[in-house]
Coordinates of all heavy atoms in Angstrom, one line a residue:
A1057 N -152.1 33.6 -60.5 CA -152.1 34.9 -61.2 C -153.1 34.9 -62.3 O -153.8 35.9 -62.5 CB -150.7 35.2 -61.7
R1058 N -153.1 33.9 -63.1 CA -154.0 33.8 -64.3 C -155.4 33.8 -63.9 O -156.3 34.3 -64.6 CB -153.6 32.6 -65.1 CG -152.3 32.5 -65.8 CD -152.1 33.5 -66.9 NE -150.9 33.2 -67.7 CZ -150.4 34.1 -68.6 NH1 -151.0 35.3 -68.8 NH2 -149.3 33.8 -69.3
K1059 N -155.7 33.1 -62.7 CA -157.1 33.0 -62.3 C -157.6 34.3 -61.6 O -158.8 34.4 -61.4 CB -157.2 31.8 -61.3 CG -157.1 30.5 -61.9 CD -157.4 29.4 -60.9 CE -157.4 28.0 -61.5 NZ -157.7 26.9 -60.5
N1060 N -156.7 35.2 -61.2 CA -157.1 36.4 -60.4 C -157.6 37.4 -61.4 O -156.8 38.0 -62.2 CB -156.0 36.9 -59.6 CG -156.5 38.0 -58.6 OD1 -157.3 38.8 -59.0 ND2 -155.9 38.0 -57.4
P1061 N -158.9 37.8 -61.5 CA -159.4 38.7 -62.5 C -158.9 40.2 -62.3 O -159.0 41.0 -63.2 CB -160.9 38.6 -62.4 CG -161.1 38.2 -60.9 CD -159.9 37.3 -60.6
T1062 N -158.4 40.5 -61.1 CA -157.9 41.8 -60.8 C -156.4 42.0 -61.2 O -155.9 43.2 -61.2 CB -158.1 42.2 -59.3 OG1 -157.1 41.4 -58.6 CG2 -159.5 41.9 -58.9
C1063 N -155.8 41.0 -61.6 CA -154.3 41.0 -61.9 C -154.2 41.2 -63.5 O -154.9 40.6 -64.2 CB -153.6 39.8 -61.5 SG -153.5 39.7 -59.7
V1064 N -153.1 41.9 -63.8 CA -152.7 42.0 -65.2 C -151.4 41.1 -65.4 O -150.5 41.3 -64.7 CB -152.4 43.4 -65.7 CG1 -151.9 43.5 -67.1 CG2 -153.6 44.3 -65.5
C1065 N -151.5 40.1 -66.2 CA -150.4 39.1 -66.3 C -149.7 39.3 -67.7 O -150.4 39.4 -68.7 CB -150.9 37.7 -66.2 SG -151.7 37.4 -64.6
A1066 N -148.4 39.1 -67.7 CA -147.6 39.1 -68.9 C -146.4 38.4 -68.7 O -145.8 38.5 -67.6 CB -147.3 40.5 -69.4
R1067 N -145.9 37.7 -69.7 CA -144.6 37.1 -69.7 C -143.5 38.2 -69.8 O -143.8 39.3 -70.3 CB -144.4 36.1 -70.9 CG -145.2 34.8 -70.7 CD -144.5 33.8 -69.8 NE -145.3 32.7 -69.5 CZ -144.8 31.7 -68.7 NH1 -143.6 31.8 -68.1 NH2 -145.6 30.6 -68.4
Y1068 N -142.3 37.9 -69.3 CA -141.2 38.8 -69.3 C -141.1 39.6 -70.6 O -141.1 40.8 -70.7 CB -140.0 38.1 -68.9 CG -138.7 38.8 -69.0 CD1 -138.2 39.7 -68.0 CD2 -137.9 38.7 -70.2 CE1 -137.0 40.3 -68.1 CE2 -136.7 39.4 -70.3 CZ -136.2 40.2 -69.3 OH -135.0 40.8 -69.4
H1069 N -141.0 38.8 -71.7 CA -140.7 39.4 -73.0 C -142.0 40.2 -73.5 O -141.8 41.2 -74.2 CB -140.3 38.3 -74.0 CG -141.3 37.2 -74.2 ND1 -141.5 36.3 -73.2 CD2 -142.1 36.9 -75.2 CE1 -142.4 35.4 -73.7 NE2 -142.8 35.8 -74.9
E1070 N -143.2 39.7 -73.2 CA -144.4 40.4 -73.6 C -144.5 41.8 -72.9 O -144.8 42.8 -73.5 CB -145.6 39.5 -73.2 CG -145.7 38.2 -73.9 CD -146.8 37.3 -73.4 OE1 -147.2 37.5 -72.2 OE2 -147.2 36.4 -74.1
F1071 N -144.1 41.8 -71.6 CA -144.2 43.0 -70.9 C -143.2 44.0 -71.5 O -143.5 45.2 -71.7 CB -143.8 42.8 -69.4 CG -143.7 44.1 -68.6 CD1 -144.9 44.7 -68.1 CD2 -142.5 44.7 -68.4 CE1 -144.8 45.9 -67.4 CE2 -142.4 45.9 -67.6 CZ -143.5 46.5 -67.2
L1072 N -141.9 43.5 -71.7 CA -140.9 44.4 -72.3 C -141.3 45.0 -73.6 O -141.0 46.1 -73.9 CB -139.6 43.7 -72.4 CG -138.7 43.6 -71.2 CD1 -137.5 42.7 -71.5 CD2 -138.3 45.0 -70.7
G1073 N -141.9 44.1 -74.5 CA -142.3 44.6 -75.8 C -143.2 45.8 -75.8 O -143.1 46.7 -76.6
T1074 N -144.1 45.8 -74.8 CA -145.0 46.9 -74.7 C -144.3 48.1 -73.9 O -144.4 49.3 -74.3 CB -146.2 46.5 -73.9 OG1 -146.9 45.5 -74.6 CG2 -147.2 47.7 -73.7
F1075 N -143.6 47.8 -72.9 CA -143.0 48.8 -72.0 C -142.0 49.7 -72.7 O -141.8 50.9 -72.5 CB -142.3 48.1 -70.8 CG -141.7 49.0 -69.8 CD1 -142.4 49.8 -69.0 CD2 -140.3 49.0 -69.7 CE1 -141.8 50.7 -68.1 CE2 -139.6 49.9 -68.8 CZ -140.4 50.7 -68.0
L1076 N -141.2 49.1 -73.7 CA -140.1 49.8 -74.3 C -140.5 50.6 -75.6 O -139.6 51.1 -76.3 CB -139.0 48.8 -74.6 CG -138.3 48.2 -73.4 CD1 -137.3 47.1 -73.9 CD2 -137.7 49.2 -72.5
K1077 N -141.8 50.6 -75.9 CA -142.2 51.3 -77.2 C -141.9 52.8 -77.2 O -141.9 53.4 -78.2 CB -143.6 51.0 -77.4 CG -143.9 49.6 -77.9 CD -145.3 49.3 -78.3 CE -145.5 47.9 -78.9 NZ -146.9 47.6 -79.2
N1078 N -141.7 53.4 -76.0 CA -141.4 54.8 -75.9 C -139.9 55.2 -76.0 O -139.6 56.4 -75.9 CB -142.0 55.4 -74.6 CG -143.5 55.2 -74.6 OD1 -144.2 55.4 -75.6 ND2 -144.0 54.9 -73.4
Y1079 N -139.1 54.2 -76.3 CA -137.6 54.5 -76.3 C -137.1 54.1 -77.7 O -137.7 53.4 -78.5 CB -136.9 53.6 -75.3 CG -137.4 53.9 -73.9 CD1 -138.4 53.0 -73.3 CD2 -137.0 55.0 -73.1 CE1 -138.8 53.2 -72.0 CE2 -137.5 55.2 -71.8 CZ -138.4 54.3 -71.3 OH -138.9 54.6 -70.0
K1080 N -135.9 54.6 -78.0 CA -135.2 54.2 -79.2 C -134.4 52.9 -78.8 O -133.4 53.0 -78.2 CB -134.2 55.3 -79.6 CG -134.8 56.6 -80.2 CD -133.8 57.6 -80.6 CE -134.4 58.9 -81.1 NZ -133.4 59.9 -81.5
V1081 N -135.0 51.8 -79.2 CA -134.5 50.5 -78.8 C -133.5 50.0 -79.8 O -133.7 50.0 -81.0 CB -135.6 49.5 -78.6 CG1 -135.1 48.1 -78.3 CG2 -136.6 50.0 -77.5
I1082 N -132.3 49.5 -79.2 CA -131.3 48.8 -80.0 C -131.3 47.4 -79.5 O -130.8 47.1 -78.3 CB -130.0 49.4 -79.9 CG1 -130.1 50.9 -80.3 CG2 -129.0 48.7 -80.8 CD1 -128.8 51.7 -80.0
S1083 N -131.7 46.4 -80.3 CA -131.7 45.0 -79.8 C -130.4 44.3 -80.2 O -130.0 44.5 -81.3 CB -132.9 44.3 -80.5 OG -134.1 44.4 -79.8
I1084 N -129.9 43.5 -79.3 CA -128.8 42.7 -79.6 C -129.2 41.2 -79.6 O -129.6 40.7 -78.5 CB -127.6 42.9 -78.6 CG1 -127.3 44.3 -78.4 CG2 -126.4 42.0 -79.0 CD1 -126.8 45.0 -79.7
A1085 N -129.3 40.6 -80.7 CA -129.7 39.2 -80.9 C -128.5 38.4 -81.4 O -127.5 38.9 -81.8 CB -130.9 39.1 -81.8
G1086 N -128.7 37.0 -81.3 CA -127.7 36.1 -81.8 C -127.5 35.0 -80.8 O -127.8 35.1 -79.6
S1087 N -126.9 33.9 -81.3 CA -126.8 32.7 -80.4 C -125.7 33.0 -79.3 O -125.9 32.5 -78.2 CB -126.3 31.5 -81.3 OG -127.0 31.5 -82.5
H1088 N -124.7 33.7 -79.7 CA -123.6 34.0 -78.7 C -123.2 35.4 -78.8 O -123.3 36.1 -79.8 CB -122.3 33.1 -79.0 CG -122.7 31.8 -79.6 ND1 -123.3 30.8 -78.9 CD2 -122.4 31.3 -80.8 CE1 -123.5 29.7 -79.6 NE2 -123.0 30.0 -80.8
G1089 N -122.7 35.9 -77.7 CA -122.1 37.3 -77.6 C -123.2 38.4 -77.3 O -122.8 39.6 -77.3
K1090 N -124.4 38.0 -77.0 CA -125.4 39.0 -76.8 C -125.1 39.9 -75.6 O -125.2 41.1 -75.6 CB -126.8 38.4 -76.6 CG -127.4 37.7 -77.8 CD -128.8 37.2 -77.6 CE -128.9 36.1 -76.5 NZ -128.3 34.8 -77.0
T1091 N -124.8 39.2 -74.5 CA -124.6 39.9 -73.2 C -123.4 40.9 -73.3 O -123.5 42.1 -72.9 CB -124.4 38.9 -72.1 OG1 -125.6 38.1 -71.9 CG2 -124.1 39.6 -70.8
T1092 N -122.3 40.4 -73.8 CA -121.1 41.2 -73.9 C -121.4 42.4 -74.9 O -121.0 43.6 -74.6 CB -119.9 40.4 -74.4 OG1 -119.7 39.4 -73.4 CG2 -118.7 41.3 -74.5
T1093 N -122.0 42.1 -76.0 CA -122.2 43.2 -77.0 C -123.2 44.2 -76.4 O -123.0 45.4 -76.7 CB -122.7 42.6 -78.3 OG1 -121.8 41.6 -78.7 CG2 -122.8 43.7 -79.4
T1094 N -124.2 43.8 -75.7 CA -125.2 44.7 -75.1 C -124.5 45.6 -74.1 O -124.7 46.8 -74.1 CB -126.3 44.0 -74.5 OG1 -126.9 43.1 -75.4 CG2 -127.4 45.0 -74.1
G1095 N -123.6 45.0 -73.3 CA -122.9 45.8 -72.3 C -121.9 46.8 -73.0 O -121.8 48.0 -72.5
M1096 N -121.3 46.4 -74.0 CA -120.3 47.2 -74.7 C -121.1 48.4 -75.4 O -120.6 49.5 -75.4 CB -119.6 46.4 -75.8 CG -118.4 47.0 -76.5 SD -117.7 45.9 -77.7 CE -116.9 44.7 -76.6
L1097 N -122.2 48.1 -76.0 CA -123.0 49.1 -76.7 C -123.5 50.2 -75.7 O -123.5 51.4 -75.9 CB -124.2 48.5 -77.4 CG -125.1 49.5 -78.1 CD1 -124.4 50.1 -79.3 CD2 -126.4 48.7 -78.6
S1098 N -124.0 49.7 -74.5 CA -124.4 50.7 -73.5 C -123.3 51.6 -73.0 O -123.5 52.7 -72.7 CB -125.1 49.9 -72.3 OG -124.2 49.1 -71.6
S1099 N -122.1 51.0 -72.9 CA -120.9 51.8 -72.5 C -120.6 52.9 -73.5 O -120.2 54.0 -73.2 CB -119.7 50.9 -72.4 OG -118.6 51.6 -72.0
V1100 N -120.9 52.6 -74.8 CA -120.7 53.7 -75.8 C -121.9 54.7 -75.9 O -121.6 55.9 -75.9 CB -120.6 53.0 -77.2 CG1 -120.6 54.0 -78.4 CG2 -119.3 52.2 -77.3
M1101 N -123.1 54.2 -75.9 CA -124.2 55.0 -76.1 C -124.5 56.0 -74.9 O -125.0 57.1 -75.1 CB -125.5 54.2 -76.4 CG -125.4 53.4 -77.7 SD -125.1 54.4 -79.2 CE -126.6 55.5 -79.2
K1102 N -124.1 55.6 -73.7 CA -124.4 56.4 -72.6 C -123.6 57.7 -72.6 O -123.9 58.7 -71.9 CB -124.1 55.7 -71.3 CG -122.7 55.4 -71.0 CD -122.6 54.6 -69.7 CE -121.1 54.2 -69.4 NZ -121.0 53.4 -68.1
N1103 N -122.5 57.7 -73.4 CA -121.7 59.0 -73.6 C -122.4 59.9 -74.6 O -122.0 61.1 -74.7 CB -120.3 58.6 -74.1 CG -119.5 57.9 -73.0 OD1 -119.6 58.2 -71.8 ND2 -118.6 57.0 -73.4
F1104 N -123.3 59.4 -75.4 CA -123.9 60.1 -76.5 C -125.3 60.7 -76.1 O -125.7 61.8 -76.5 CB -124.1 59.2 -77.7 CG -124.6 59.9 -78.9 CD1 -123.9 60.9 -79.6 CD2 -125.9 59.5 -79.4 CE1 -124.5 61.5 -80.7 CE2 -126.4 60.1 -80.5 CZ -125.7 61.1 -81.2
G1105 N -126.1 59.9 -75.3 CA -127.4 60.3 -74.9 C -127.8 59.5 -73.7 O -127.2 58.6 -73.3
H1106 N -128.9 60.0 -73.1 CA -129.4 59.2 -71.9 C -129.8 57.8 -72.3 O -130.7 57.6 -73.2 CB -130.6 60.0 -71.3 CG -130.3 61.3 -70.7 ND1 -129.5 61.4 -69.6 CD2 -130.6 62.6 -71.1 CE1 -129.3 62.7 -69.3 NE2 -130.0 63.4 -70.2
T1107 N -129.1 56.9 -71.8 CA -129.2 55.5 -72.2 C -129.6 54.5 -71.1 O -129.0 54.6 -70.0 CB -127.9 55.0 -72.9 OG1 -127.6 55.9 -74.0 CG2 -128.0 53.6 -73.4
G1108 N -130.6 53.7 -71.4 CA -130.9 52.6 -70.5 C -130.4 51.3 -71.1 O -130.1 51.2 -72.3
W1109 N -130.4 50.2 -70.2 CA -130.0 48.9 -70.8 C -130.6 47.8 -69.9 O -130.9 48.0 -68.7 CB -128.5 48.8 -70.8 CG -127.8 49.1 -69.5 CD1 -127.5 48.2 -68.5 CD2 -127.1 50.3 -69.2 NE1 -126.8 48.8 -67.5 CE2 -126.6 50.1 -67.9 CE3 -127.0 51.6 -69.8 CZ2 -125.9 51.1 -67.2 CZ3 -126.4 52.6 -69.1 CH2 -125.8 52.4 -67.8
L1110 N -130.7 46.7 -70.5 CA -131.2 45.5 -69.8 C -130.3 44.3 -70.4 O -130.4 44.0 -71.6 CB -132.7 45.2 -70.1 CG -133.3 44.1 -69.3 CD1 -133.0 44.3 -67.8 CD2 -134.8 44.1 -69.5
I1111 N -129.5 43.8 -69.5 CA -128.5 42.8 -70.0 C -128.7 41.5 -69.2 O -129.1 41.5 -68.1 CB -127.1 43.4 -69.7 CG1 -126.9 44.8 -70.3 CG2 -126.0 42.5 -70.3 CD1 -125.6 45.5 -70.0
G1112 N -128.3 40.4 -69.9 CA -128.6 39.1 -69.4 C -127.7 38.7 -68.2 O -127.8 37.6 -67.7
D1113 N -126.8 39.6 -67.8 CA -125.9 39.2 -66.6 C -126.6 39.8 -65.4 O -125.9 39.8 -64.3 CB -124.5 39.8 -66.8 CG -124.5 41.3 -66.8 OD1 -125.6 42.0 -66.9 OD2 -123.4 41.9 -66.6
G1114 N -127.8 40.2 -65.4 CA -128.5 40.7 -64.2 C -128.3 42.2 -64.1 O -128.5 42.7 -63.0
T1115 N -127.9 42.9 -65.1 CA -127.7 44.3 -65.0 C -128.7 45.1 -65.8 O -129.0 44.8 -67.0 CB -126.3 44.7 -65.6 OG1 -125.3 43.9 -64.9 CG2 -126.0 46.2 -65.4
G1116 N -129.3 46.1 -65.2 CA -130.3 47.0 -65.9 C -130.2 48.4 -65.4 O -129.7 48.7 -64.2
H1117 N -130.6 49.3 -66.2 CA -130.5 50.7 -65.8 C -131.6 51.5 -66.6 O -131.7 51.3 -67.8 CB -129.1 51.3 -66.1 CG -129.1 52.8 -65.9 ND1 -129.0 53.4 -64.6 CD2 -129.0 53.9 -66.7 CE1 -128.9 54.7 -64.7 NE2 -128.9 55.0 -66.0

Side-chain angles (χ1 to χ4, degrees):
R1058 296 289 194 194
K1059 284 184 176 181
N1060 190 323
T1062 70
C1063 291
V1064 177
C1065 298
R1067 288 279 173 183
Y1068 170 86
H1069 57 290
E1070 295 169 340
F1071 176 83
L1072 276 178
T1074 301
F1075 180 71
L1076 295 177
K1077 285 184 177 179
N1078 295 324
Y1079 304 96
K1080 293 181 180 178
V1081 175
I1082 307 167
S1083 276
I1084 307 298
S1087 317
H1088 326 295
K1090 293 187 294 292
T1091 297
T1092 300
T1093 306
T1094 308
M1096 191 181 289
L1097 178 66
S1098 63
S1099 181
V1100 169
M1101 295 303 297
K1102 69 183 181 183
N1103 292 324
F1104 182 67
H1106 293 292
T1107 300
W1109 55 84
L1110 188 53
I1111 308 175
D1113 68 343
T1115 305
H1117 174 75

